[in-house]
mmCIF file of all heavy atoms in Angstrom:
data_model
loop_
_atom_site.group_PDB
_atom_site.id
_atom_site.type_symbol
_atom_site.label_atom_id
_atom_site.label_comp_id
_atom_site.label_asym_id
_atom_site.label_seq_id
_atom_site.Cartn_x
_atom_site.Cartn_y
_atom_site.Cartn_z
ATOM 1 N N ASP A 344 11.601 13.997 -26.353
ATOM 2 C CA ASP A 344 12.205 12.907 -27.135
ATOM 3 C C ASP A 344 11.731 11.557 -26.558
ATOM 4 O O ASP A 344 11.330 10.701 -27.256
ATOM 5 C CB ASP A 344 13.702 12.989 -27.091
ATOM 6 C CG ASP A 344 14.332 11.861 -27.906
ATOM 7 O OD1 ASP A 344 14.089 11.790 -29.161
ATOM 8 O OD2 ASP A 344 15.079 10.974 -27.326
ATOM 9 N N LEU A 386 -2.725 5.992 -27.855
ATOM 10 C CA LEU A 386 -1.831 6.984 -28.573
ATOM 11 C C LEU A 386 -2.730 7.801 -29.534
ATOM 12 O O LEU A 386 -2.457 9.020 -29.591
ATOM 13 C CB LEU A 386 -0.803 6.155 -29.425
ATOM 14 C CG LEU A 386 0.226 5.272 -28.672
ATOM 15 C CD1 LEU A 386 1.273 4.899 -29.619
ATOM 16 C CD2 LEU A 386 0.722 5.945 -27.439
ATOM 17 N N VAL A 639 20.487 -11.749 -14.081
ATOM 18 C CA VAL A 639 21.791 -12.167 -14.663
ATOM 19 C C VAL A 639 21.973 -13.682 -14.645
ATOM 20 O O VAL A 639 22.987 -14.161 -15.038
ATOM 21 C CB VAL A 639 22.954 -11.458 -13.997
ATOM 22 C CG1 VAL A 639 22.966 -9.972 -14.249
ATOM 23 C CG2 VAL A 639 23.004 -11.692 -12.478
#
Side-chain angles (χ1 to χ4, degrees):
D344 181 62
L386 299 195
V639 291

